[in-house]
Amino acid sequence: MLLVRNPDDYLRETKRDIHKLPRNYDPALHPLETPREYTRAMNAVKLERVFALPFIGSLDGHRDGLTCLGKHPDHLSWLYSGACDGELKLWDVAKRKIVYTVQAHDGFIRAMAFSQETSSLYTVGDDKLIKQWKAQELDGSDLKAPINTIVTRGMLTGISHHRSKPVMATCGEACNLWEHSRAQPIKTFQWGVDSLQSIKFNQVEENIIAACGSDRSIILYDMRESVPVRKVVLKMRSNALCWNPMEAFIFTVANEDYNLYTFDMRNFANPINVHKDHVSAVIDIDYSPTGKEFVSASYDKTIRLYNSRQAHSRDIYHTSRMQRLTCAAWSLDDRFVYSGSDEMNIRIWKARAAEKLGVVKPREKTALRVNAKLVEKFAHHPAIKRIHRHRHVPSHVYNSRNELRNSRIAARRKEFNVRTHTKRQLPIIPEKAKVIVSEQ
């Protein structure tokens, strides 16, 4: 038998390192391990709420309310914003400065989409124009004038670009498919709808398009077909739609009934999840690059972050000055969330409220991971669960939530009473009579 004594196991590499201590992880030697971990989990969840400061800053410079936000796929710090007065701005989020400003449209800028193939930004507005802008220069000087303008017959409310082909889809009075080189649509889809509000290309199944209609419908199109594929009608109108970037068949819609609905396009009969908690109409939605979470912007002056598989939000962001939300976006590095609102400001938030910005040392990363696992392990203990879930909300949200809860309970009670009363009124038929009736 050979005894080995390696100095690397017990000596420090430099004098600034911490001393190495031998540890025996045998559970029999640590009978108080679980109470000790519970205490650490309690401290960790309390510190998480102490350091939960999600608001980073605001970008002010617009002279009218925000309508849409756009992200540049090659520049993480670039953010495009469109306003109600037709002004298009390019922001450097890292420096919190305006890079370039241009008067893009007469009237509202309704939507924008980016083409990676041509490094171009496409915008649509109330002036019935589709404009193409180059987006390559670092100083934004190529936004001086559009490189291409297409005049359409009707007003447009949305635009989305194919992931790899030179094809884009617009919505308004109908769903139109356009090629870069043509001034007329190559294909038009209609399904008896007055107008469409939002349209999005699937980023995985690239030929599939989804749109929200004014008749409370959600319509699926396949650009290889000549007619729409499938349609589902909800109780109220949907305002926005977003595909999950990682799951080919999943998309979520933001609805007027204060909820968000996640559908599987293979089965439209029922949504696979209903995301609640908002107390007013949900206006916009955007998925994180991982596909595990999404952000929603609502008319109740709050934005909420959801886990894509859970019904209730994991966090709520609000400020006293922030008014009704009109648009929201999740940054492509999965660290920040952007929101645009009526009072002409773009706000920057952390995607995880207690996350530390800046350099995090290896030992600190390890400690944060251990704390997160401990909180996850004891998440169902009442004291930890209460602290972990607690959020301060504005008074109008708190009161509206209570009103909605009471109305739901009352409706459920009324339905139960009606059902019970109906059962009492039914005549009781003897078993023999039942058999005779069935034979007749």
Side-chain angles (χ1 to χ4, degrees):
M1 185 175 179
L2 181 64
L3 293 176
V4 178
R5 186 174 174 83
N6 188 356
D8 293 338
D9 294 338
Y10 57 89
L11 291 180
R12 296 179 295 173
E13 290 184 8
T14 66
K15 291 181 180 180
R16 295 185 178 182
D17 287 348
I18 60 172
H19 288 276
K20 293 185 178 181
L21 296 175
R23 296 180 185 274
N24 190 335
Y25 294 100
D26 184 6
L29 300 176
H30 302 282
L32 298 176
E33 182 180 14
T34 301
R36 191 163 55 242
E37 286 184 346
Y38 178 81
T39 303
R40 289 184 63 187
M42 178 65 76
N43 292 337
V45 77
K46 286 180 179 177
L47 287 173
E48 182 184 351
R49 299 317 311 152
V50 167
F51 292 117
L53 302 170
F55 181 68
I56 297 174
S58 66
L59 307 174
D60 53 342
H62 276 288
R63 293 172 292 181
D64 210 337
L66 274 297
T67 56
C68 55
L69 295 174
K71 298 169 286 187
H72 196 297
D74 298 327
H75 297 274
L76 286 177
S77 62
W78 281 13
L79 181 71
Y80 294 92
S81 62
C84 297
D85 58 358
E87 204 171 51
L88 175 67
K89 286 183 181 292
L90 170 60
W91 302 85
D92 189 330
V93 178
K95 298 177 181 177
R96 301 187 202 175
K97 290 182 179 180
I98 300 173
V99 178
Y100 205 84
T101 303
V102 63
Q103 186 66 34
H105 291 270
D106 294 330
F108 284 37
I109 297 180
R110 290 294 178 181
M112 58 180 71
F114 204 90
S115 167
Q116 282 187 291
E117 184 190 22
T118 59
S119 296
S120 299
L121 180 74
Y122 291 87
T123 60
V124 296
D126 283 353
D127 52 5
K128 303 181 182 180
L129 299 178
I130 304 173
K131 292 190 177 183
Q132 180 184 0
W133 313 79
K134 267 294 176 186
Q136 291 179 325
E137 297 295 331
L138 295 178
D139 59 355
S141 57
D142 46 7
L143 286 176
K144 283 182 181 178
I147 59 173
N148 189 20
T149 301
I150 300 173
V151 182
T152 63
R153 293 180 180 177
M155 193 176 294
L156 302 176
T157 56
I159 185 169
S160 183
H161 201 281
H162 195 281
R163 185 181 178 92
S164 56
K165 295 180 181 177
V167 176
M168 55 187 172
T170 61
C171 66
E173 296 174 0
C175 173
N176 293 319
L177 289 181
W178 306 78
E179 275 190 351
H180 294 177
S181 57
R182 295 193 178 187
Q184 296 294 327
I186 58 174
K187 196 174 289 188
T188 300
F189 296 104
Q190 284 185 320
W191 197 342
V193 184
D194 294 336
S195 62
L196 301 169
Q197 280 88 34
S198 176
I199 191 165
K200 287 290 189 315
F201 263 104
N202 191 329
Q203 297 299 300
V204 184
E205 292 289 336
E206 299 178 351
N207 296 308
I208 304 298
I209 312 167
C212 301
S214 60
D215 63 344
R216 302 174 285 119
S217 63
I218 303 166
I219 307 173
L220 283 184
Y221 307 95
D222 190 332
M223 60 180 284
R224 297 165 295 189
E225 302 289 336
S226 57
V227 292
V229 178
R230 201 171 293 174
K231 179 178 180 179
V232 63
V233 179
L234 304 181
K235 287 186 177 180
M236 295 188 76
R237 194 185 76 171
S238 298
N239 291 315
L241 178 146
C242 190
W243 289 94
N244 189 316
M246 290 296 173
E247 299 183 53
F249 308 109
I250 307 299
F251 66 90
T252 303
V253 293
N255 202 270
E256 285 278 340
D257 65 357
Y258 313 167
N259 297 330
L260 299 106
Y261 297 91
T262 297
F263 284 94
D264 188 325
M265 72 176 183
R266 296 168 294 185
N267 180 17
F268 258 19
N270 293 301
I272 59 175
N273 212 333
V274 180
H275 309 277
K276 305 173 182 178
D277 285 344
H278 278 295
V279 295
S280 190
V282 189
I283 304 299
D284 200 11
I285 175 179
D286 191 28
Y287 264 94
S288 70
T290 61
K292 295 180 179 179
E293 296 173 308
F294 62 83
V295 58
S296 64
S298 171
Y299 235 49
D300 61 11
K301 306 178 186 178
T302 65
I303 64 173
R304 288 184 181 267
L305 305 180
Y306 290 85
N307 187 312
S308 59
R309 299 187 184 276
Q310 293 178 358
H312 294 280
S313 61
R314 70 164 174 84
D315 222 329
I316 175 174
Y317 295 162
H318 57 90
T319 68
S320 58
R321 292 186 179 183
M322 186 164 69
Q323 298 303 307
R324 292 166 174 170
L325 276 299
T326 53
C327 49
W330 201 301
S331 69
L332 293 175
D333 60 353
D334 195 33
R335 295 186 65 197
F336 304 103
V337 169
Y338 310 117
S339 66
S341 49
D342 273 351
E343 86 290 350
M344 304 171 283
N345 270 357
I346 301 170
R347 288 180 172 81
I348 310 166
W349 312 82
K350 295 182 199 173
R352 281 155 287 278
E355 184 181 24
K356 180 184 175 182
L357 298 180
V359 178
V360 182
K361 294 182 179 180
R363 286 186 62 215
E364 194 174 359
K365 280 185 182 177
T366 305
L368 291 171
R369 281 199 297 266
V370 170
N371 287 343
K373 278 294 178 186
L374 289 175
V375 172
E376 183 182 338
K377 179 179 179 180
F378 295 97
H380 297 290
H381 284 242
I384 292 179
K385 184 178 181 180
R386 181 180 61 82
I387 297 171
H388 191 56
R389 292 182 57 189
H390 179 73
R391 297 291 184 277
H392 287 289
V393 297
S395 58
H396 71 275
V397 174
Y398 182 80
N399 295 332
S400 301
R401 187 176 59 188
N402 290 339
E403 287 179 14
L404 290 170
R405 185 187 295 119
N406 292 336
S407 64
R408 279 197 299 267
I409 293 172
R412 203 176 298 131
R413 189 187 300 119
K414 183 178 179 180
E415 183 183 353
F416 175 76
N417 291 339
V418 169
R419 195 181 301 140
T420 308
H421 182 70
T422 307
K423 285 182 179 178
R424 287 175 182 169
Q425 296 296 324
L426 290 174
I428 300 173
I429 305 174
E431 291 296 325
K432 290 184 180 178
K434 283 183 182 178
V435 175
I436 292 168
V437 170
S438 63
E439 287 176 357
Q440 287 178 352

